[in-house]
Amino acid sequence: MATAGEESQTQAGRHQEVGHKSLLQSDALYQYILETSVYPREPEPMKELRDITAKHPWNIMTTSADEGQFLNMLLKLINAKNTMEIGVFTGYSLLATALALPDDGKILAMDINRESYELGLPVIQKAGVADKIDFREGPALPILDQLIEDGKQGSFDFIFVDADKDNYLNYHKRLIELVKVGGLIGYDNTLWNGSVVAPPDAPLRKYVRYYRDFVLELNKALAADPRIEICMLPVGDGITLCRRIS
């Protein structure tokens, strides 16, 4: 049993990223990354939105600050201009994307809950990037089907998915058509709280256990898909980048 001093030391070493679990073995190491690399360079609007989101009862659904920084740099590196986001929540990753895009860049953003998006919208507007966002409320699959029907294949430079895990494979079947050859799709939560390596009888939260099999199925399918190159990164809750090659 840990002593009171040991427990106090453990708590002191825990990272302060509200609502988020780090996949790093050391919480102190994750906190070091946040304080050294992420927080000092985080744009003020993103910090403001992160603070607002931290007060939300479902703050665990937001993109972590280190992942937001990663997405922002990635979009600049690939010179993305036309992007898509499935699963917006309060808009932290959406804001990271909007700030990275050029003035004429566009984001097609989809979420079933407009109320959460509107929580972050004033910050997005104040940052001067709201005009880059085309927000659609409702399920994404019908919108994706309509885009394909309208001949929008190969028109997106980057697509970020952080939504219902049981539909990830359904999204992939459509997104692989909509992203351009050489473009990227990013699937979030592909390490799913680390549960992807948990034994079948491991004590897991109900929602973690429910979605784990869908995440495992996605990971297996992406690894076998000859149309893409993939890279799985232990950033946030795990993100898998898929570069379309055919």
Side-chain angles (χ1 to χ4, degrees), residues 4 9 21 28 58 77 83 115 120 125 128 146 166 179 220:
Q9 187 176 17
K21 57 274 156 193
W58 285 96
L77 287 171
T83 72
E115 184 178 347
Q125 290 171 332
Q146 188 62 52
D166 45 348
V179 72
K220 185 177 179 180

Side-chain angles (χ1 to χ4, degrees), residues 2 11 40 44 63 65 69 78 86 101 103 116 124 130 138 159 167 188 191 193 230:
Q11 286 299 318
E44 189 58 36
T63 299
Q69 183 186 58
I78 66 173
I86 301 176
L101 296 183
D103 291 342
S116 294
I124 293 171
I159 300 171
N167 261 323
D188 203 22
L191 294 176
N193 289 237
I230 67 170

Side-chain angles (χ1 to χ4, degrees), residues 167-224:
N167 261 323
Y168 268 28
L169 272 178
N170 289 324
Y171 293 143
H172 185 66
K173 290 172 185 174
R174 294 157 171 83
L175 297 181
I176 195 65
E177 292 188 47
L178 292 167
V179 72
K180 71 179 185 181
V181 174
L184 291 176
I185 306 171
Y187 290 104
D188 203 22
N189 306 113
T190 52
L191 294 176
W192 199 229
N193 289 237
S195 68
V196 290
V197 294
D201 59 347
L204 300 173
R205 291 182 180 180
K206 192 173 181 180
Y207 81 94
V208 173
R209 181 176 299 280
Y210 174 76
Y211 287 114
R212 178 178 62 170
D213 287 345
F214 293 106
V215 174
L216 288 169
E217 186 181 9
L218 171 79
N219 291 341
K220 185 177 179 180
L222 294 180

Side-chain angles (χ1 to χ4, degrees), residues 12-224:
R14 288 196 63 81
H15 67 79
Q16 302 301 308
E17 178 71 0
V18 176
H20 261 271
K21 57 274 156 193
S22 167
L23 291 169
L24 292 174
Q25 290 184 343
S26 166
D27 277 326
L29 182 57
Y30 183 51
Q31 185 67 20
Y32 173 81
I33 292 171
L34 293 172
E35 292 180 354
T36 305
S37 171
V38 180
Y39 293 158
R41 305 302 293 269
E42 184 179 34
E44 189 58 36
M46 290 182 65
K47 181 185 185 303
E48 183 179 353
L49 183 49
R50 179 165 56 82
D51 289 343
I52 291 171
T53 305
K55 300 180 179 72
H56 194 287
W58 285 96
N59 59 37
I60 197 169
M61 291 172 58
T62 191
T63 299
S64 61
D66 55 320
E67 187 173 9
Q69 183 186 58
F70 170 73
L71 291 172
N72 184 273
M73 179 172 284
L74 178 65
L75 287 156
K76 293 172 182 174
L77 287 171
I78 66 173
N79 295 313
K81 185 174 178 180
N82 192 36
T83 72
M84 180 192 302
E85 182 162 328
I86 301 176
V88 171
F89 191 42
T90 61
Y92 186 79
S93 57
L94 186 64
L95 179 56
T97 299
L99 289 170
L101 296 183
D103 291 342
D104 58 346
K106 296 296 178 186
I107 314 165
L108 174 59
M110 290 165 267
D111 200 290
I112 58 171
N113 187 339
R114 187 178 186 93
E115 184 178 347
S116 294
Y117 168 63
E118 289 184 342
L119 189 65
L121 185 56
V123 180
I124 293 171
Q125 290 171 332
K126 188 165 64 173
V129 293
D131 60 323
K132 298 179 183 179
I133 299 167
D134 175 11
F135 180 84
R136 312 275 186 93
E137 183 179 19
L141 288 174
I143 298 173
L144 300 181
D145 288 336
Q146 188 62 52
L147 288 170
I148 292 171
E149 188 176 326
D150 292 343
K152 300 297 184 181
Q153 291 89 337
S155 62
F156 290 89
D157 304 312
F158 179 78
I159 300 171
F160 183 59
V161 185
D162 182 9
D164 42 335
K165 316 310 166 197
D166 45 348
N167 261 323
Y168 268 28
L169 272 178
N170 289 324
Y171 293 143
H172 185 66
K173 290 172 185 174
R174 294 157 171 83
L175 297 181
I176 195 65
E177 292 188 47
L178 292 167
V179 72
K180 71 179 185 181
V181 174
L184 291 176
I185 306 171
Y187 290 104
D188 203 22
N189 306 113
T190 52
L191 294 176
W192 199 229
N193 289 237
S195 68
V196 290
V197 294
D201 59 347
L204 300 173
R205 291 182 180 180
K206 192 173 181 180
Y207 81 94
V208 173
R209 181 176 299 280
Y210 174 76
Y211 287 114
R212 178 178 62 170
D213 287 345
F214 293 106
V215 174
L216 288 169
E217 186 181 9
L218 171 79
N219 291 341
K220 185 177 179 180
L222 294 180

